[in-house]
Amino acid sequence: MAACTSFVKLNASSSSWIGQQSFNQRACAFPSRSRVSIVKASSSGSYTDELVKTAKSIASPGRGILAIDESNATCGKRLASIGLDNTEVNRQAYRQLLLTTPGLGDYISGAILFEETLYQSTTDGKKFVDCLRDESIVPGIKVDKGLSPLPGSNNESWCQGLDGLASRSAEYYKQGARFAKWRTVVSIPCGPSALAVKEAAWGLARYAAISQDNGLVPIVEPEILLDGDHPIERTLEVAEQVWAEVFYYLAENNVVFEGILLKPSMVTPGAEHKEKASPETIAKYTLTMLRRRVPPAVPGIMFLSGGQSEVEATLNLNAMNQSPNPWHVSFSYARALQNSVLKTWQGRPENAEAAQMALLVRAKANSLAQLGKYSAEGESEEAKKGMFVKGYTY
Ligand code: 13P
């Protein structure tokens, strides 16, 4: 409708009324590409410069993201693995341990929080967002509301959370968040169906536009699940299809590419495939996919770990940084940064310092991998254990 009105205004003096009316009616019914571009909207408005700056600072050399945005239910699973109850006090104690690790900012540029954590403080009353700022770590927030079954698909899911997202995002910004995360998933064994891919891509693009409009850099995360026995070539094919659609809709929604970050899965064989791929092969396939699909305007690619072991995730990242890339290629790991921390902590205050050291060991290893300088020499057996869970929910 807006396109019709402005076209009338632009041409009002140059045509006879009757001729113009019939021409405009046709133009509104079948807008051509050039006419649509006359009224092209632009997104992110007043926040553009800030978004670009935030994205650049997260994508800074030798640093990556600590993802601790588990929903209360998923955090409960982490706590249960060391025999702790899923209470607010225990979740706060665990997050406090992570977020008050001295020197964390040397390796970590952003931390993704769950809503509860964004509004929490340490037991001494210091806001968690201030703990992060003191280490030059940008606070981020998970804004999606999780997955639901997608009717009409092949047992696939879609991501919830667009309703009320603008007002929630504005509140998160006020509380100190400067970037956001929305995780949707694509399942290879379930298809993926064209419907599920389109829904995932469209949802990510709407979320990205709304986030930018409210000053939050959107992390765009269509996680292609590791589940399945398919070869690496099939993952490449699906990843290319998914990212093509994601960028198509990001552009349609006027998202500023310089003010986003991506969180892809690495291109690997399915977790149940008969052969494992080496870090060099994973790096080759993953970078091929990214070069074919991701414009160099995007500042950073922050991989998820997806159930790989801590060492595997670090080795794969290191292999991707053996020669220069058009974007900052780094990490946004949850499981691959937290596993040995939890095992060391065991919920005991006397282990807290050792657990923080364990976090620094992993963060430093991934920092080196971001610079292409990591070696797995001396890594513990625990850090080599895989963490894949079928049909994982976050
Ligand atoms: P993992 O690194 O455990 O796959 O976490 C994924 C994620 O989306 C966290 O934000």
Side-chain angles (χ1 to χ4, degrees):
M1 197 59 209
C4 296
T5 313
S6 59
F7 193 77
V8 170
K9 278 190 200 137
L10 283 168
N11 290 278
S13 59
S14 60
S15 318
S16 72
W17 190 85
I18 291 178
Q20 189 197 341
Q21 186 191 41
S22 63
F23 181 76
N24 281 337
Q25 278 168 347
R26 274 203 309 278
C28 291
F30 307 105
S32 73
R33 280 184 186 277
S34 60
R35 256 168 237 129
V36 170
S37 73
I38 292 171
V39 289
K40 190 173 183 296
S42 71
S43 162
S44 81
S46 54
Y47 285 112
T48 305
D49 292 347
E50 187 184 331
L51 292 167
V52 173
K53 227 169 113 191
T54 303
K56 260 197 200 144
S57 86
I58 295 173
S60 60
R63 300 206 301 163
I65 294 175
L66 169 66
I68 54 162
D69 56 306
E70 296 88 356
S71 61
N72 286 351
T74 307
C75 188
K77 287 184 205 157
R78 302 239 194 283
L79 296 175
S81 76
I82 53 167
L84 291 186
D85 289 340
N86 189 10
T87 60
E88 186 177 346
V89 170
N90 285 341
R91 291 193 297 271
Q92 179 202 27
Y94 179 49
R95 264 88 186 231
Q96 175 165 335
L97 180 153
L98 297 166
L99 298 176
T100 59
T101 299
L104 192 62
D106 292 346
Y107 315 116
I108 299 294
S109 53
I112 319 176
L113 311 176
F114 190 59
E115 193 179 65
E116 176 181 88
T117 321
L118 182 70
Y119 291 91
Q120 264 172 347
S121 302
T122 64
T123 36
D124 297 337
K126 184 170 175 180
K127 284 185 186 164
F128 282 148
V129 284
D130 291 334
C131 300
L132 290 172
R133 283 207 202 98
D134 288 353
E135 286 279 347
S136 305
I137 299 172
V138 183
I141 174 77
K142 170 192 169 81
V143 299
D144 69 74
K145 296 273 185 193
L147 301 166
S148 277
L150 176 64
S153 73
N154 191 20
N155 285 326
E156 294 159 283
S157 30
W158 65 307
C159 188
Q160 310 295 297
L162 288 177
D163 281 359
L165 181 58
S167 50
R168 281 195 291 130
S169 301
E171 286 305 314
Y172 298 147
Y173 184 95
K174 277 194 213 150
Q175 182 63 16
R178 288 295 176 271
F179 73 102
K181 167 196 142 165
W182 173 283
R183 172 186 180 261
T184 191
V185 301
V186 172
S187 160
I188 297 181
C190 290
S193 67
L195 173 68
V197 172
K198 188 173 179 170
E199 171 53 43
W202 178 254
L204 282 164
R206 290 302 308 134
Y207 137 79
I210 294 167
S211 298
Q212 288 195 334
D213 207 37
N214 289 283
L216 303 178
V217 168
I219 292 193
V220 178
E221 180 181 1
E223 176 170 352
I224 298 168
L225 296 168
L226 275 182
D227 301 65
D229 58 7
H230 49 274
I232 194 167
E233 290 78 11
R234 175 70 184 139
T235 312
L236 175 66
E237 190 177 34
V238 173
E240 286 186 358
Q241 183 192 352
V242 169
W243 281 106
E245 291 223 28
V246 169
F247 273 101
Y248 175 79
Y249 289 123
L250 286 172
E252 272 217 332
N253 281 274
N254 301 307
V255 170
V256 177
F257 289 180
E258 288 83 353
I260 64 174
L261 295 166
L262 307 187
K263 184 156 169 166
S265 328
M266 295 177 193
V267 177
T268 67
E272 288 116 347
H273 187 63
K274 50 188 184 311
E275 278 163 36
K276 275 195 99 130
S278 67
E280 291 68 32
T281 304
I282 291 171
K284 190 178 107 189
Y285 276 81
T286 307
L287 291 175
T288 298
M289 184 277 288
L290 294 174
R291 286 191 202 112
R292 286 177 179 169
R293 290 293 180 265
V294 183
V298 173
I301 314 272
M302 322 297 287
F303 285 103
L304 58 91
S305 59
Q308 301 175 35
S309 77
E310 291 178 325
V311 171
E312 257 178 310
T314 312
L315 279 170
N316 292 340
L317 179 63
N318 189 59
M320 281 187 255
N321 282 303
Q322 293 310 300
S323 48
N325 289 304
W327 342 262
H328 174 80
V329 173
S330 192
F331 59 93
S332 174
Y333 296 157
R335 281 166 280 180
L337 277 171
Q338 293 183 45
N339 190 41
S340 27
V341 181
L342 275 164
K343 298 270 155 60
T344 310
W345 181 44
Q346 295 295 328
R348 299 207 183 101
E350 64 272 26
N351 295 342
E353 213 176 296
Q356 290 185 327
M357 286 305 119
L359 175 61
L360 282 182
V361 166
R362 291 280 23 107
K364 185 175 179 189
N366 287 300
S367 162
L368 288 169
Q370 197 292 308
L371 301 167
K373 294 180 179 161
Y374 165 76
S375 137
E377 220 171 281
E379 288 279 19
S380 70
E381 283 313 304
E382 186 56 49
K384 292 179 187 157
K385 281 190 195 151
M387 287 166 279
F388 172 70
V389 176
K390 244 182 166 176
Y392 185 72
T393 52
Y394 202 75

